[in-house]
Amino acid sequence: MMLVLTRKEEESIMIGDDIKIMVLEDSGGQVKLGIEAPRDIDIYREEIYEQIKEENKKASAINVDNLKDLTKSIKQEK
């Protein structure tokens, strides 16, 4: 589900009590947003967020493979 809102320059929306998103500029085809949020909330462009998720997925897969190898080597030592 997606909530769709219309805002003009200098208008904003609130997410909860501490996240404010303001339209700073609308220059025909590109909108500049300002985001006020607590420092402990990570904010990323979607394409960067997807890259981070993919890298984390790869890193966890490597760790699982390393764990399997370690388990095999321990069993072989017994």
Side-chain angles (χ1 to χ4, degrees):
M1 184 172 100
M2 179 183 292
L3 172 65
V4 178
L5 301 172
T6 304
R7 302 277 71 202
K8 297 177 182 175
E9 285 186 27
E10 302 300 317
E11 292 182 338
S12 54
I13 62 168
M14 294 296 298
I15 300 175
D17 291 331
D18 9 338
I19 301 174
K20 179 180 179 178
I21 301 175
M22 178 181 276
V23 178
L24 300 176
E25 184 180 323
D26 180 0
S27 56
Q30 210 171 34
V31 177
K32 191 178 288 188
L33 301 174
I35 302 169
E36 290 180 16
R39 288 191 180 273
D40 64 326
I41 295 183
D42 297 327
I43 301 171
Y44 302 103
R45 295 187 325 251
E46 184 178 14
E47 62 273 17
I48 300 299
Y49 178 74
E50 293 300 327
Q51 287 176 357
I52 292 168
K53 280 185 10 181
E54 188 60 33
E55 290 300 318
N56 288 341
K57 190 174 173 182
K58 287 178 188 176
S60 67
I62 291 170
N63 289 335
V64 169
D65 290 341
N66 290 344
L67 183 59
K68 287 178 184 176
D69 292 343
L70 180 60
T71 303
K72 283 179 188 176
S73 92
I74 290 172
K75 285 180 180 179
Q76 289 172 355
E77 289 176 5
K78 288 182 178 183

